[in-house]
Amino acid sequence: MSLMTGAEYIESLRKLNTRVYMFGEKIENWVDHPVIRPSINCVAMTYELAQNPEYADLMTAKSSITGKTVNRFTHLHQSTDDLIKKVKMQRLLGQKTASCFQRCVGMDAFNAVYSTTYEIDEKYGTEYNGRFLKFLEMVQEEDLVVDGAMTDPKGDRAKAPHEQADPDLYVHIVERREDGIIVCGAKAHQTGSINSHWHIIMPTIAMREADADYAVSFACPSDAEGLFMIYGRQSCDTRKLEEGADVDLGNKQFGGQEALVVFDHVFIPNEYIFMAGEYDFAGMMVERFAGYHRQSYGGCKVGVGDVVIGAAAVAAEYNGAEKASAVKDKLIEMTHLNETLYCCGIACSSQGQQTKAGNYQIDLLLANVCKQNVTRFPYEIVRLAEDIAGGLMVTMPSEKDFNSATVAGRNGETIGEICNKYFAGRPEVSTEDRMRILRFLENICLGASAVGYRTESLHGAGSPQAQRIMIGRQGNIQGKKELAKRIAGIEK
Ligand code: SF4
Ligand code: FE
Protein backbone atom coordinates (compact mmCIF):
# COMPACT_ATOMS: atom_id res chain seq x y z
CA MET A 1 0.00 0.00 0.00
CA SER A 2 1.17 3.51 -0.69
CA LEU A 3 -0.52 6.92 -0.60
CA MET A 4 -3.59 6.72 1.63
CA THR A 5 -6.56 9.00 1.02
CA GLY A 6 -7.57 11.49 3.71
CA ALA A 7 -10.53 9.29 4.66
CA GLU A 8 -8.31 6.20 4.89
CA TYR A 9 -5.93 8.10 7.14
CA ILE A 10 -8.76 9.04 9.51
CA GLU A 11 -9.98 5.44 9.54
CA SER A 12 -6.44 4.20 10.24
CA LEU A 13 -6.41 6.26 13.45
CA ARG A 14 -9.44 4.38 14.74
CA LYS A 15 -7.40 1.16 14.76
CA LEU A 16 -4.92 2.62 17.25
CA ASN A 17 -5.31 2.27 21.00
CA THR A 18 -3.70 5.63 21.70
CA ARG A 19 -4.34 6.73 25.28
CA VAL A 20 -5.50 10.37 25.33
CA TYR A 21 -6.52 12.56 28.30
CA MET A 22 -8.21 15.94 28.14
CA PHE A 23 -9.79 18.14 30.83
CA GLY A 24 -8.74 15.51 33.39
CA GLU A 25 -10.47 12.57 31.73
CA LYS A 26 -9.64 9.74 29.36
CA ILE A 27 -11.11 10.34 25.91
CA GLU A 28 -12.34 7.11 24.37
CA ASN A 29 -13.38 8.24 20.90
CA TRP A 30 -10.77 10.92 20.33
CA VAL A 31 -11.03 10.72 16.52
CA ASP A 32 -14.51 12.27 16.58
CA HIS A 33 -13.97 14.57 19.55
CA PRO A 34 -15.00 18.12 18.53
CA VAL A 35 -11.88 19.68 20.08
CA ILE A 36 -9.50 17.20 18.41
CA ARG A 37 -11.16 16.53 15.05
CA PRO A 38 -10.16 19.81 13.30
CA SER A 39 -6.50 18.90 13.92
CA ILE A 40 -7.09 15.48 12.34
CA ASN A 41 -8.75 17.10 9.32
CA CYS A 42 -5.66 19.23 8.97
CA VAL A 43 -3.32 16.22 8.77
CA ALA A 44 -5.80 14.54 6.41
CA MET A 45 -5.17 17.41 3.98
CA THR A 46 -1.55 16.19 3.60
CA TYR A 47 -3.07 12.97 2.20
CA GLU A 48 -5.83 14.57 0.14
CA LEU A 49 -3.55 16.96 -1.72
CA ALA A 50 -1.16 14.09 -2.51
CA GLN A 51 -4.05 12.41 -4.39
CA ASN A 52 -4.59 15.48 -6.56
CA PRO A 53 -2.63 15.33 -9.87
CA GLU A 54 -2.37 19.13 -9.83
CA TYR A 55 -0.13 18.95 -6.76
CA ALA A 56 1.65 15.64 -7.45
CA ASP A 57 5.00 17.33 -8.12
CA LEU A 58 5.01 19.06 -4.74
CA MET A 59 3.16 16.50 -2.63
CA THR A 60 4.87 13.31 -3.77
CA ALA A 61 8.42 12.15 -4.48
CA LYS A 62 10.28 9.10 -5.71
CA SER A 63 11.52 7.13 -2.72
CA SER A 64 15.31 6.89 -2.47
CA ILE A 65 14.79 3.53 -0.72
CA THR A 66 12.33 1.72 -3.00
CA GLY A 67 11.97 3.92 -6.10
CA LYS A 68 8.19 4.01 -5.49
CA THR A 69 6.05 7.14 -5.34
CA VAL A 70 5.65 8.25 -1.73
CA ASN A 71 4.15 11.19 0.09
CA ARG A 72 6.81 13.92 0.32
CA PHE A 73 6.25 14.01 4.08
CA THR A 74 7.98 10.61 4.28
CA HIS A 75 10.80 11.43 1.86
CA LEU A 76 14.56 11.81 2.36
CA HIS A 77 15.53 14.95 0.44
CA GLN A 78 17.75 13.99 -2.49
CA SER A 79 18.62 17.45 -3.85
CA THR A 80 18.22 21.17 -3.25
CA ASP A 81 15.24 20.91 -5.59
CA ASP A 82 13.63 18.53 -3.07
CA LEU A 83 14.33 21.02 -0.28
CA ILE A 84 12.68 23.83 -2.27
CA LYS A 85 9.67 21.66 -3.09
CA LYS A 86 9.30 20.88 0.59
CA VAL A 87 8.93 24.60 1.40
CA LYS A 88 6.49 25.10 -1.48
CA MET A 89 4.44 22.13 -0.31
CA GLN A 90 4.26 23.62 3.19
CA ARG A 91 3.15 26.99 1.86
CA LEU A 92 0.44 25.26 -0.15
CA LEU A 93 -0.81 23.38 2.92
CA GLY A 94 -0.76 26.56 5.03
CA GLN A 95 -2.92 28.18 2.35
CA LYS A 96 -5.38 25.27 2.35
CA THR A 97 -5.75 24.89 6.13
CA ALA A 98 -4.65 28.19 7.79
CA SER A 99 -3.31 25.92 10.53
CA CYS A 100 -0.43 23.72 11.56
CA PHE A 101 -0.81 20.50 9.58
CA GLN A 102 1.60 18.71 11.95
CA ARG A 103 3.19 16.18 9.63
CA CYS A 104 6.42 18.15 9.06
CA VAL A 105 7.97 17.24 12.41
CA GLY A 106 8.17 13.61 11.28
CA MET A 107 9.66 14.54 7.89
CA ASP A 108 12.26 16.71 9.59
CA ALA A 109 13.06 13.93 12.07
CA PHE A 110 13.50 11.37 9.26
CA ASN A 111 16.07 13.52 7.53
CA ALA A 112 17.96 14.43 10.71
CA VAL A 113 17.99 10.89 12.13
CA TYR A 114 18.99 9.38 8.80
CA SER A 115 22.11 11.52 8.38
CA THR A 116 23.08 11.45 12.07
CA THR A 117 22.79 7.65 12.44
CA TYR A 118 25.02 7.28 9.38
CA GLU A 119 27.73 9.28 11.14
CA ILE A 120 27.27 7.46 14.46
CA ASP A 121 27.72 4.11 12.65
CA GLU A 122 30.79 5.47 10.89
CA LYS A 123 32.42 6.29 14.23
CA TYR A 124 31.22 3.44 16.41
CA GLY A 125 30.43 0.61 13.99
CA THR A 126 26.83 0.50 15.21
CA GLU A 127 23.87 -0.51 13.03
CA TYR A 128 21.53 2.39 13.58
CA ASN A 129 21.34 3.68 10.00
CA GLY A 130 20.24 0.32 8.56
CA ARG A 131 17.60 -0.07 11.28
CA PHE A 132 16.34 3.41 10.64
CA LEU A 133 16.08 2.81 6.89
CA LYS A 134 14.04 -0.31 7.51
CA PHE A 135 11.72 1.65 9.76
CA LEU A 136 11.40 4.43 7.18
CA GLU A 137 10.64 1.95 4.43
CA MET A 138 7.66 0.76 6.48
CA VAL A 139 6.56 4.38 7.05
CA GLN A 140 6.73 5.09 3.32
CA GLU A 141 5.04 1.85 2.37
CA GLU A 142 2.16 2.38 4.81
CA ASP A 143 2.10 6.18 4.33
CA LEU A 144 2.20 6.84 8.08
CA VAL A 145 2.26 10.01 10.16
CA VAL A 146 5.18 10.07 12.59
CA ASP A 147 5.62 12.64 15.33
CA GLY A 148 9.20 13.90 15.51
CA ALA A 149 9.50 14.43 19.25
CA MET A 150 12.40 16.48 20.56
CA THR A 151 11.46 18.87 23.38
CA ASP A 152 11.83 17.52 26.91
CA PRO A 153 10.16 19.33 29.83
CA LYS A 154 13.69 20.33 30.99
CA GLY A 155 12.87 21.22 34.64
CA ASP A 156 15.59 23.45 36.08
CA ARG A 157 17.17 25.05 33.03
CA ALA A 158 20.40 25.70 34.91
CA LYS A 159 21.00 21.97 35.33
CA ALA A 160 22.06 19.20 32.92
CA PRO A 161 19.72 16.23 32.45
CA HIS A 162 21.49 13.99 34.98
CA GLU A 163 21.51 16.82 37.57
CA GLN A 164 17.72 17.29 37.64
CA ALA A 165 15.94 16.64 40.94
CA ASP A 166 13.55 14.40 38.98
CA PRO A 167 15.37 12.27 36.39
CA ASP A 168 12.22 11.97 34.25
CA LEU A 169 12.41 15.61 33.21
CA TYR A 170 14.41 14.37 30.23
CA VAL A 171 13.59 11.12 28.39
CA HIS A 172 16.16 8.56 29.44
CA ILE A 173 17.07 4.87 29.47
CA VAL A 174 16.18 3.25 32.79
CA GLU A 175 17.11 -0.30 31.83
CA ARG A 176 19.22 -1.90 29.11
CA ARG A 177 18.18 -5.41 28.14
CA GLU A 178 19.45 -7.91 25.62
CA ASP A 179 16.46 -7.27 23.38
CA GLY A 180 16.06 -3.52 23.89
CA ILE A 181 15.75 -0.67 26.37
CA ILE A 182 13.15 0.66 28.78
CA VAL A 183 12.62 4.42 28.75
CA CYS A 184 10.98 6.94 31.08
CA GLY A 185 10.28 10.65 30.79
CA ALA A 186 8.15 12.91 28.64
CA LYS A 187 8.20 15.15 25.59
CA ALA A 188 6.35 18.44 25.97
CA HIS A 189 4.21 20.41 23.49
CA GLN A 190 4.35 17.71 20.86
CA THR A 191 2.80 18.81 17.59
CA GLY A 192 0.34 16.30 16.17
CA SER A 193 1.35 13.53 18.57
CA ILE A 194 -2.16 12.13 19.00
CA ASN A 195 -2.71 12.16 15.24
CA SER A 196 0.50 10.22 14.57
CA HIS A 197 0.77 6.48 14.05
CA TRP A 198 4.32 6.40 15.38
CA HIS A 199 6.77 8.63 17.26
CA ILE A 200 10.46 9.23 16.70
CA ILE A 201 12.15 10.41 19.86
CA MET A 202 15.32 12.52 19.72
CA PRO A 203 17.42 14.19 22.42
CA THR A 204 16.70 17.87 23.00
CA ILE A 205 20.17 19.30 23.71
CA ALA A 206 23.86 18.57 23.20
CA MET A 207 25.05 16.24 25.96
CA ARG A 208 28.14 15.15 27.88
CA GLU A 209 29.25 11.74 29.12
CA ALA A 210 27.33 12.00 32.40
CA ASP A 211 24.14 12.33 30.32
CA ALA A 212 24.78 9.22 28.22
CA ASP A 213 21.50 7.59 29.32
CA TYR A 214 19.67 10.66 28.06
CA ALA A 215 21.32 10.53 24.62
CA VAL A 216 18.61 8.32 23.21
CA SER A 217 16.71 8.17 19.93
CA PHE A 218 14.13 5.59 18.95
CA ALA A 219 10.83 4.95 17.22
CA CYS A 220 7.74 3.61 18.94
CA PRO A 221 4.06 3.20 18.06
CA SER A 222 1.77 5.88 19.50
CA ASP A 223 -0.20 3.22 21.34
CA ALA A 224 2.80 1.45 22.88
CA GLU A 225 2.28 0.02 26.37
CA GLY A 226 3.11 2.71 28.96
CA LEU A 227 2.74 5.63 26.53
CA PHE A 228 -0.02 8.23 26.96
CA MET A 229 -0.79 11.82 26.04
CA ILE A 230 -2.36 14.79 27.76
CA TYR A 231 -3.99 17.22 25.33
CA GLY A 232 -2.77 20.83 25.29
CA ARG A 233 -5.62 23.30 25.52
CA GLN A 234 -5.87 26.32 23.26
CA SER A 235 -7.44 29.71 23.70
CA CYS A 236 -11.24 29.54 23.15
CA ASP A 237 -11.10 25.74 22.63
CA THR A 238 -14.37 25.14 24.49
CA ARG A 239 -16.21 27.09 21.81
CA LYS A 240 -15.86 23.85 19.83
CA LEU A 241 -18.01 22.13 22.46
CA GLU A 242 -20.89 24.61 22.12
CA GLU A 243 -23.94 23.11 20.47
CA GLY A 244 -24.24 24.04 16.80
CA ALA A 245 -21.04 26.13 16.90
CA ASP A 246 -20.10 27.41 13.47
CA VAL A 247 -19.40 31.11 12.86
CA ASP A 248 -17.89 31.66 16.32
CA LEU A 249 -15.24 29.02 15.63
CA GLY A 250 -13.58 31.10 12.92
CA ASN A 251 -11.76 28.13 11.40
CA LYS A 252 -14.27 25.38 11.94
CA GLN A 253 -12.66 22.74 9.81
CA PHE A 254 -8.94 22.86 10.66
CA GLY A 255 -6.67 23.34 13.64
CA GLY A 256 -3.35 22.44 15.20
CA GLN A 257 -2.61 20.15 18.12
CA GLU A 258 -0.03 19.85 20.87
CA ALA A 259 0.19 17.41 23.76
CA LEU A 260 2.40 16.19 26.57
CA VAL A 261 3.62 12.70 25.65
CA VAL A 262 4.50 10.57 28.67
CA PHE A 263 6.75 7.49 28.58
CA ASP A 264 6.06 5.45 31.69
CA HIS A 265 8.51 2.54 31.39
CA VAL A 266 8.06 1.95 27.67
CA PHE A 267 9.94 -0.99 26.16
CA ILE A 268 11.74 -0.25 22.88
CA PRO A 269 13.00 -3.30 20.95
CA ASN A 270 16.51 -3.07 19.46
CA GLU A 271 15.25 -2.73 15.88
CA TYR A 272 13.75 0.68 16.68
CA ILE A 273 16.70 2.15 18.59
CA PHE A 274 18.71 4.77 16.67
CA MET A 275 20.94 6.14 19.45
CA ALA A 276 21.55 4.76 22.92
CA GLY A 277 24.36 6.46 24.76
CA GLU A 278 26.37 8.08 21.92
CA TYR A 279 26.13 11.43 23.70
CA ASP A 280 28.65 13.07 21.36
CA PHE A 281 26.04 12.87 18.55
CA ALA A 282 23.10 14.31 20.50
CA GLY A 283 24.04 17.86 19.47
CA MET A 284 24.29 16.92 15.79
CA MET A 285 20.82 15.38 15.80
CA VAL A 286 19.35 18.42 17.55
CA GLU A 287 21.05 20.89 15.23
CA ARG A 288 19.96 19.07 12.09
CA PHE A 289 16.36 18.55 13.16
CA ALA A 290 16.08 22.16 14.35
CA GLY A 291 17.64 23.37 11.09
CA TYR A 292 15.08 21.52 8.99
CA HIS A 293 12.20 22.70 11.14
CA ARG A 294 13.41 26.31 10.98
CA GLN A 295 13.39 25.96 7.19
CA SER A 296 9.85 24.54 7.43
CA TYR A 297 8.57 27.74 9.00
CA GLY A 298 9.59 29.62 5.83
CA GLY A 299 6.82 27.60 4.15
CA CYS A 300 3.97 26.82 6.55
CA LYS A 301 3.75 30.22 8.24
CA VAL A 302 3.91 31.93 4.85
CA GLY A 303 0.93 29.91 3.63
CA VAL A 304 -1.05 30.84 6.74
CA GLY A 305 0.13 34.44 6.27
CA ASP A 306 -1.38 34.41 2.77
CA VAL A 307 -4.74 33.55 4.31
CA VAL A 308 -4.41 36.24 7.01
CA ILE A 309 -3.63 38.88 4.38
CA GLY A 310 -6.60 37.70 2.32
CA ALA A 311 -8.91 37.80 5.35
CA ALA A 312 -7.80 41.34 6.23
CA ALA A 313 -8.47 42.45 2.65
CA VAL A 314 -11.96 40.86 2.75
CA ALA A 315 -12.71 42.54 6.11
CA ALA A 316 -11.69 45.91 4.65
CA GLU A 317 -13.93 45.30 1.63
CA TYR A 318 -16.91 44.37 3.81
CA ASN A 319 -16.39 47.58 5.78
CA GLY A 320 -16.27 49.62 2.56
CA ALA A 321 -12.67 50.62 3.35
CA GLU A 322 -10.74 48.75 0.68
CA LYS A 323 -10.00 51.85 -1.41
CA ALA A 324 -8.45 53.78 1.48
CA SER A 325 -4.75 54.29 0.78
CA ALA A 326 -3.86 53.44 4.40
CA VAL A 327 -5.52 50.03 4.03
CA LYS A 328 -3.79 49.36 0.72
CA ASP A 329 -0.45 50.28 2.25
CA LYS A 330 -0.96 47.96 5.21
CA LEU A 331 -1.74 45.08 2.86
CA ILE A 332 1.45 45.87 0.94
CA GLU A 333 3.46 45.85 4.17
CA MET A 334 1.93 42.50 5.20
CA THR A 335 2.75 41.05 1.80
CA HIS A 336 6.30 42.36 1.97
CA LEU A 337 6.85 40.76 5.38
CA ASN A 338 5.28 37.48 4.34
CA GLU A 339 7.27 37.17 1.11
CA THR A 340 10.47 38.01 3.02
CA LEU A 341 9.86 34.87 5.10
CA TYR A 342 9.34 32.87 1.93
CA CYS A 343 12.62 34.25 0.51
CA CYS A 344 14.38 32.90 3.61
CA GLY A 345 12.73 29.47 3.26
CA ILE A 346 13.70 29.22 -0.40
CA ALA A 347 17.20 30.61 0.17
CA CYS A 348 18.21 28.14 2.90
CA SER A 349 16.87 25.33 0.69
CA SER A 350 18.64 26.41 -2.49
CA GLN A 351 21.94 26.65 -0.60
CA GLY A 352 21.56 23.18 0.90
CA GLN A 353 24.29 20.58 0.77
CA GLN A 354 24.60 16.83 0.68
CA THR A 355 25.30 15.06 3.98
CA LYS A 356 27.69 12.13 4.32
CA ALA A 357 24.66 9.82 4.30
CA GLY A 358 23.55 11.22 0.93
CA ASN A 359 20.40 13.19 1.76
CA TYR A 360 20.34 16.99 1.65
CA GLN A 361 20.66 19.37 4.55
CA ILE A 362 19.59 23.03 4.41
CA ASP A 363 22.04 25.91 4.88
CA LEU A 364 22.07 26.19 8.67
CA LEU A 365 22.83 29.90 8.95
CA LEU A 366 20.10 30.88 6.49
CA ALA A 367 17.57 28.50 8.11
CA ASN A 368 18.23 30.12 11.48
CA VAL A 369 17.85 33.59 9.98
CA CYS A 370 14.58 32.36 8.45
CA LYS A 371 13.19 31.24 11.79
CA GLN A 372 14.46 34.36 13.58
CA ASN A 373 12.39 36.45 11.14
CA VAL A 374 9.43 34.14 11.74
CA THR A 375 9.64 35.00 15.47
CA ARG A 376 8.81 38.60 14.50
CA PHE A 377 7.00 39.09 11.21
CA PRO A 378 3.79 37.11 11.88
CA TYR A 379 3.31 39.30 14.97
CA GLU A 380 3.48 42.42 12.81
CA ILE A 381 1.26 40.82 10.16
CA VAL A 382 -1.32 40.02 12.85
CA ARG A 383 -1.06 43.56 14.26
CA LEU A 384 -1.80 45.01 10.84
CA ALA A 385 -4.64 42.52 10.27
CA GLU A 386 -6.22 43.57 13.58
CA ASP A 387 -5.72 47.21 12.64
CA ILE A 388 -7.57 46.70 9.34
CA ALA A 389 -10.30 44.50 10.86
CA GLY A 390 -11.25 46.99 13.57
CA GLY A 391 -12.32 46.45 17.16
CA LEU A 392 -15.50 44.59 16.24
CA MET A 393 -13.33 41.50 15.86
CA VAL A 394 -13.24 41.24 19.66
CA THR A 395 -16.44 42.98 20.78
CA MET A 396 -19.07 41.32 18.58
CA PRO A 397 -21.90 39.36 20.26
CA SER A 398 -22.02 35.58 19.82
CA GLU A 399 -23.58 33.79 16.89
CA LYS A 400 -26.36 32.68 19.25
CA ASP A 401 -27.29 36.37 19.60
CA PHE A 402 -27.28 36.82 15.85
CA ASN A 403 -29.63 33.84 15.55
CA SER A 404 -31.76 34.65 18.59
CA ALA A 405 -35.58 34.89 18.35
CA THR A 406 -35.86 36.52 21.79
CA VAL A 407 -37.87 39.71 21.49
CA ALA A 408 -36.14 42.81 22.87
CA GLY A 409 -37.32 45.80 20.80
CA ARG A 410 -40.41 47.95 21.34
CA ASN A 411 -41.83 46.83 18.00
CA GLY A 412 -41.13 43.15 18.52
CA GLU A 413 -37.61 43.12 17.04
CA THR A 414 -35.62 40.09 18.10
CA ILE A 415 -32.05 40.11 19.43
CA GLY A 416 -31.06 38.52 16.11
CA GLU A 417 -32.68 41.30 14.08
CA ILE A 418 -31.09 43.97 16.23
CA CYS A 419 -27.62 42.42 15.91
CA ASN A 420 -28.03 42.09 12.17
CA LYS A 421 -29.16 45.72 11.90
CA TYR A 422 -26.36 47.27 13.93
CA PHE A 423 -23.49 45.09 12.75
CA ALA A 424 -24.21 45.43 9.05
CA GLY A 425 -21.39 46.78 6.86
CA ARG A 426 -21.85 47.39 3.16
CA PRO A 427 -25.50 46.74 2.16
CA GLU A 428 -24.58 44.13 -0.48
CA VAL A 429 -22.67 42.02 2.10
CA SER A 430 -24.60 39.89 4.59
CA THR A 431 -23.93 40.59 8.26
CA GLU A 432 -23.23 36.87 8.65
CA ASP A 433 -20.38 37.00 6.13
CA ARG A 434 -18.95 40.03 7.91
CA MET A 435 -19.10 38.13 11.20
CA ARG A 436 -17.47 35.12 9.58
CA ILE A 437 -14.43 36.96 8.35
CA LEU A 438 -13.99 38.83 11.64
CA ARG A 439 -14.34 35.65 13.69
CA PHE A 440 -11.84 33.99 11.39
CA LEU A 441 -9.35 36.77 12.06
CA GLU A 442 -10.06 36.58 15.79
CA ASN A 443 -9.40 32.83 15.68
CA ILE A 444 -6.07 33.23 13.93
CA CYS A 445 -4.88 36.35 15.76
CA LEU A 446 -5.85 35.39 19.31
CA GLY A 447 -8.04 32.30 19.33
CA ALA A 448 -7.22 28.61 18.94
CA SER A 449 -5.35 29.09 15.64
CA ALA A 450 -3.14 31.77 17.21
CA VAL A 451 -1.19 28.88 18.75
CA GLY A 452 -0.05 27.92 15.26
CA TYR A 453 0.40 31.36 13.76
CA ARG A 454 1.67 33.50 16.65
CA THR A 455 3.11 31.74 19.67
CA GLU A 456 4.35 28.80 17.66
CA SER A 457 6.09 31.28 15.36
CA LEU A 458 7.96 32.44 18.44
CA HIS A 459 8.72 29.18 20.23
CA GLY A 460 8.18 26.38 17.70
CA ALA A 461 11.39 24.94 16.20
CA GLY A 462 13.24 26.65 19.06
CA SER A 463 12.75 29.99 20.80
CA PRO A 464 14.43 33.13 19.38
CA GLN A 465 17.55 32.81 21.52
CA ALA A 466 18.25 29.34 20.14
CA GLN A 467 18.50 30.82 16.65
CA ARG A 468 20.66 33.70 17.86
CA ILE A 469 23.13 31.21 19.31
CA MET A 470 23.28 29.41 15.96
CA ILE A 471 23.57 32.69 14.03
CA GLY A 472 26.43 33.67 16.37
CA ARG A 473 28.13 30.34 15.70
CA GLN A 474 27.61 30.30 11.95
CA GLY A 475 27.99 34.02 11.25
CA ASN A 476 31.81 33.97 10.84
CA ILE A 477 32.55 37.31 12.49
CA GLN A 478 36.27 36.51 12.31
CA GLY A 479 36.08 36.19 8.54
CA LYS A 480 34.21 39.47 8.34
CA LYS A 481 36.82 41.22 10.48
CA GLU A 482 39.50 40.06 8.10
CA LEU A 483 37.58 41.41 5.12
CA ALA A 484 37.38 44.80 6.77
CA LYS A 485 41.01 44.86 7.88
CA ARG A 486 42.29 43.93 4.45
CA ILE A 487 40.42 46.74 2.70
CA ALA A 488 41.27 49.21 5.47
CA GLY A 489 44.97 48.42 5.09
CA ILE A 490 45.42 46.89 8.55
CA GLU A 491 48.03 44.16 8.48
CA LYS A 492 47.42 42.21 11.65
FE1 SF4 B 1 4.59 21.86 9.93
FE2 SF4 B 1 4.59 24.41 10.48
FE3 SF4 B 1 3.19 22.75 12.00
FE4 SF4 B 1 5.84 22.73 12.14
S1 SF4 B 1 4.50 24.43 12.69
S2 SF4 B 1 4.50 20.94 11.95
S3 SF4 B 1 6.40 23.22 10.01
S4 SF4 B 1 2.84 23.21 9.85
FE1 FE C 1 5.95 23.66 14.82
Side-chain angles (χ1 to χ4, degrees):
M1 185 178 77
S2 211
L3 295 185
M4 274 198 267
T5 63
E8 283 166 349
Y9 159 66
I10 293 172
E11 284 314 300
S12 73
L13 294 179
R14 294 187 197 282
K15 297 192 190 105
L16 300 173
N17 284 317
T18 311
R19 222 180 346 142
V20 180
Y21 297 87
M22 187 197 296
F23 300 135
E25 282 170 15
K26 185 159 183 251
I27 308 293
E28 296 301 340
N29 179 8
W30 50 267
V31 175
D32 298 310
H33 193 287
V35 173
I36 301 177
R37 187 52 181 266
S39 71
I40 296 176
N41 295 339
C42 215
V43 181
M45 192 55 96
T46 69
Y47 288 91
E48 274 164 39
L49 293 186
Q51 299 277 331
N52 185 335
E54 193 187 336
Y55 303 124
D57 188 44
L58 290 187
M59 295 299 307
T60 61
K62 189 172 154 200
S63 166
S64 55
I65 309 171
T66 62
K68 292 184 192 164
T69 298
V70 294
N71 192 300
R72 188 174 293 283
F73 280 98
T74 65
H75 184 51
L76 294 172
H77 315 301
Q78 297 300 303
S79 61
T80 53
D81 193 45
D82 266 351
L83 290 170
I84 291 170
K85 281 182 179 159
K86 171 195 164 187
V87 170
K88 290 185 172 178
M89 167 180 77
Q90 290 166 314
R91 184 172 189 169
L92 173 71
L93 273 149
Q95 291 172 340
K96 299 285 187 192
T97 61
S99 288
C100 164
F101 33 91
Q102 307 149 50
R103 209 173 168 185
C104 327
V105 279
M107 165 175 55
D108 292 343
F110 300 147
N111 279 277
V113 172
Y114 175 66
S115 65
T116 306
T117 50
Y118 183 91
E119 294 184 39
I120 302 175
D121 289 354
E122 197 182 52
K123 182 167 176 188
Y124 291 111
T126 40
E127 299 168 353
Y128 297 136
N129 190 256
R131 287 177 187 174
F132 174 74
L133 266 181
K134 214 164 151 227
F135 166 72
L136 186 61
E137 189 178 337
M138 174 197 74
V139 169
Q140 291 186 343
E141 194 56 31
E142 296 181 22
D143 200 9
L144 302 177
V145 179
V146 178
D147 173 35
M150 178 161 279
T151 312
D152 294 81
K154 297 202 282 279
D156 182 346
R157 271 58 173 174
K159 294 199 161 104
H162 73 279
E163 294 168 337
Q164 297 291 327
D166 181 341
D168 292 343
L169 290 169
Y170 285 79
V171 170
H172 61 124
I173 302 168
V174 291
E175 194 186 330
R176 290 172 192 265
R177 289 173 21 181
E178 189 95 324
D179 53 348
I181 53 174
I182 295 187
V183 295
C184 277
K187 292 288 183 185
H189 26 86
Q190 283 311 304
T191 296
S193 56
I194 290 156
N195 302 339
S196 300
H197 304 97
W198 279 72
H199 280 60
I200 286 189
I201 305 313
M202 297 164 283
T204 201
I205 48 168
M207 290 182 188
R208 303 220 172 112
E209 194 172 355
D211 293 320
D213 284 344
Y214 296 81
V216 61
S217 176
F218 56 87
C220 77
S222 300
D223 56 359
E225 179 76 33
L227 181 59
F228 57 92
M229 302 166 196
I230 305 171
Y231 207 82
R233 80 170 308 175
Q234 299 170 333
S235 177
C236 310
D237 51 6
T238 45
R239 283 194 194 182
K240 296 188 177 106
L241 300 173
E242 290 171 11
E243 211 188 317
D246 176 10
V247 178
D248 281 357
L249 299 182
N251 188 350
K252 187 182 176 186
Q253 213 183 332
F254 303 110
Q257 169 193 105
E258 270 80 26
L260 179 76
V261 182
V262 181
F263 297 83
D264 181 4
H265 296 85
V266 178
F267 172 67
I268 311 296
N270 284 332
E271 61 181 307
Y272 299 123
I273 300 171
F274 312 134
M275 177 192 287
E278 294 80 4
Y279 60 90
D280 46 335
F281 284 91
M284 180 189 284
M285 201 177 270
V286 173
E287 199 172 282
R288 291 186 179 178
F289 172 78
Y292 282 124
H293 211 55
R294 289 169 194 173
Q295 168 211 25
S296 290
Y297 277 39
C300 76
K301 302 299 177 227
V302 179
V304 180
D306 288 328
V307 187
V308 176
I309 295 167
V314 171
E317 202 179 297
Y318 288 180
N319 286 343
E322 80 274 20
K323 293 209 174 72
S325 62
V327 168
K328 283 189 197 159
D329 194 54
K330 281 168 191 149
L331 292 171
I332 290 168
E333 177 65 9
M334 292 161 87
T335 306
H336 161 70
L337 292 169
N338 203 40
E339 297 301 334
T340 303
L341 299 179
Y342 188 52
C343 292
C344 293
I346 295 295
C348 69
S349 306
S350 73
Q351 297 302 299
Q353 287 188 341
Q354 197 167 25
T355 67
K356 280 187 180 176
N359 64 337
Y360 271 67
Q361 174 78 33
I362 39 73
D363 181 284
L364 266 184
L365 174 60
L366 297 184
N368 278 279
V369 169
C370 176
K371 173 68 215 312
Q372 181 78 181
N373 284 332
V374 173
T375 66
R376 300 172 183 172
F377 296 178
Y379 281 80
E380 181 62 5
I381 291 170
V382 157
R383 190 184 74 80
L384 291 166
E386 290 188 29
D387 184 354
I388 292 172
L392 187 58
M393 185 185 105
V394 292
T395 62
M396 194 165 43
S398 72
E399 68 177 305
K400 281 200 174 125
D401 291 304
F402 280 85
N403 297 328
S404 170
T406 302
V407 173
R410 188 185 289 254
N411 295 318
E413 301 94 336
T414 63
I415 293 285
E417 284 164 346
I418 290 165
C419 285
N420 277 287
K421 170 184 159 98
Y422 286 111
F423 294 112
R426 291 184 111 121
E428 61 273 28
V429 175
S430 72
T431 313
E432 183 184 315
D433 284 350
R434 190 164 178 242
M435 278 170 67
R436 278 190 186 278
I437 206 69
L438 293 176
R439 284 288 179 219
F440 178 74
L441 278 167
E442 180 204 24
N443 175 251
I444 213 155
C445 296
L446 36 88
S449 293
V451 177
Y453 191 58
R454 281 176 45 138
T455 316
E456 193 180 49
S457 288
L458 194 71
H459 292 296
S463 306
Q465 196 56 30
Q467 290 110 58
R468 298 185 82 77
I469 290 166
M470 286 300 294
I471 292 168
R473 248 189 246 159
Q474 305 267 327
N476 190 14
I477 297 294
Q478 191 53 37
K480 291 181 170 76
K481 275 160 62 180
E482 277 155 25
L483 292 175
K485 280 183 173 171
R486 190 168 307 132
I487 297 174
I490 299 166
E491 285 190 356
K492 34 180 221 169

